[in-house]
Amino acid sequence: METGAAVERCEVLVTGAYFADLVFHGLPRPVRPGTEVFADGFGLVPGGAYTLAMALHRLGRRVVWSADFGTDPFSAHVLSCAGQEGLDDSAFRHHPVPVRSLTVALASGDDRAMVSFQDPVGPEPLVPLLRQLRPRVLMFPQLRSDQGTVAAVLAARELGALVVMDCHDTPATLDDPAVRQVLSLVDVFTPNEAEALALTGAGCLDEAVALLAGLVPTLVVTRGPLGATARRGGERHDAPAVPAASIDATAAGDCFNAGLVHGLLDGRSLADCLAAAAFCGAAATTGPGSGAALRAPDLDRLLGRATGR
């Protein structure tokens, strides 16, 4: 295993696995066992934590992404795309064995189904990297409550970094003390509506928001075509979705989170952060996978138009 060269201090440290997304989009109907459906389009695009790192990089942020790669063609494809985007590769770990991580996404309008596979690989200890980089934000693309994650979150808090965590279909509930512990330590939690309901066991969104907001200082629940709901202390915002000619929603959540963090780094209000996030999430749906992520000038133009400036 080889580790990249030393890295300089960054704004955002993203930690998480890459995925190679095989996206079949424009399906005329859902795929059912025993049937075959032809898609209107197909794309092989990098995803997973790559999307967070790439989307923030396109927005002009200094990003370091901690991830593992192997000798397989999926690793090679994502590494090539990361190089073309100009992502910092200093925290990449290269292994002399395959490290396959892929998802088949079946997209139809605003909905999708996914099948994924990952080769197991030991996680990198994040605490030394955090102390070296001293990032302003530490981002986790999925809910994790293992001891290594808790140690990293505590180290980030000691360094004054904002900790942002998504849920990403993690099969967990608030009945697990470890889950409650890690959520009480993060600063921003961004589940979607279905994940918030499953995590809390609540019967409605308002109940789920109340339960999670009791643990997390800033809660943002994405709701697809219904927009997003955010809660910070006694402040609540319900933001509408941005209309878009949707092709594939695979990267929408990660690009939404990138826009949210971009706004937080600028010190914007929660409402303005949601607006930036909504534009980024909507734009991501207009192409397969992560390829349609916005760049900073495009986001600035959209935000200016939305506010009438």
Side-chain angles (χ1 to χ4, degrees):
M1 182 268 293
E2 297 178 0
T3 304
V7 289
E8 297 178 356
R9 183 175 182 181
C10 63
E11 289 182 290
V12 185
L13 173 59
V14 174
T15 178
Y18 85 85
F19 274 85
D21 292 340
L22 288 76
V23 182
F24 296 81
H25 57 88
L27 299 179
R29 61 182 184 277
V31 179
R32 303 186 184 281
T35 68
E36 182 179 18
V37 177
F38 276 82
D40 288 339
F42 170 79
L44 171 58
V45 291
Y50 168 91
T51 303
L52 287 174
M54 179 271 292
L56 281 161
H57 178 73
R58 285 192 179 184
L59 292 174
R61 296 301 177 181
R62 299 189 305 277
V63 184
V64 171
W65 174 29
S66 172
D68 294 278
F69 299 92
T71 57
D72 55 282
F74 302 108
S75 290
H77 175 70
V78 175
L79 283 168
S80 175
C81 292
Q84 292 173 28
E85 285 286 341
L87 294 185
D88 188 319
D89 63 359
S90 301
F92 290 175
R93 296 199 304 172
H94 299 278
H95 302 261
V97 295
V99 181
R100 298 167 296 176
S101 189
L102 60 149
T103 292
V104 174
L106 308 174
S108 177
D110 292 327
D111 202 3
R112 69 193 189 280
M114 296 185 288
V115 180
S116 299
F117 171 83
Q118 273 189 302
D119 282 316
V121 61
E124 178 181 14
L126 286 175
V127 174
L129 192 58
L130 280 163
R131 290 174 177 163
Q132 177 186 2
L133 296 175
R134 304 182 66 86
R136 294 176 60 191
V137 178
L138 171 63
M139 294 190 74
F140 293 93
Q142 67 183 117
L143 174 59
R144 292 167 44 181
S145 57
D146 57 277
Q147 291 183 351
T149 297
V150 171
V153 171
L154 289 172
R157 291 174 65 89
E158 290 176 3
L159 294 168
L162 192 76
V163 180
V164 180
M165 183 177 282
D166 201 345
C167 190
H168 196 65
D169 284 333
T170 301
T173 72
L174 295 185
D175 292 334
D176 185 342
V179 171
R180 296 183 69 89
Q181 179 193 22
V182 77
L183 290 181
S184 71
L185 294 173
V186 305
D187 298 290
V188 183
F189 184 48
T190 62
N192 63 35
E193 183 172 2
E195 292 164 347
L197 293 172
L199 189 62
T200 60
C204 66
L205 176 63
D206 286 347
E207 183 184 350
V209 167
L211 288 169
L212 290 171
L215 290 171
V216 185
T218 300
L219 172 71
V220 180
V221 180
T222 55
R223 306 183 66 199
L226 297 179
T229 294
R231 175 85 173 267
R232 177 189 286 164
E235 178 186 4
R236 173 167 171 159
H237 293 277
D238 293 288
V242 173
S246 180
I247 291 176
D248 171 34
T250 301
D254 287 328
C255 288
F256 179 99
N257 287 343
L260 179 73
V261 169
H262 179 64
L264 292 171
L265 284 166
D266 278 346
R268 298 178 187 176
S269 68
L270 186 56
D272 286 347
C273 289
L274 284 180
F279 278 120
C280 289
T285 70
T286 61
S290 57
L294 285 177
R295 298 185 185 276
D298 298 319
L299 177 59
D300 291 342
R301 174 177 52 82
L302 290 168
L303 288 171
R305 180 184 300 171
T307 58
R309 293 196 298 270

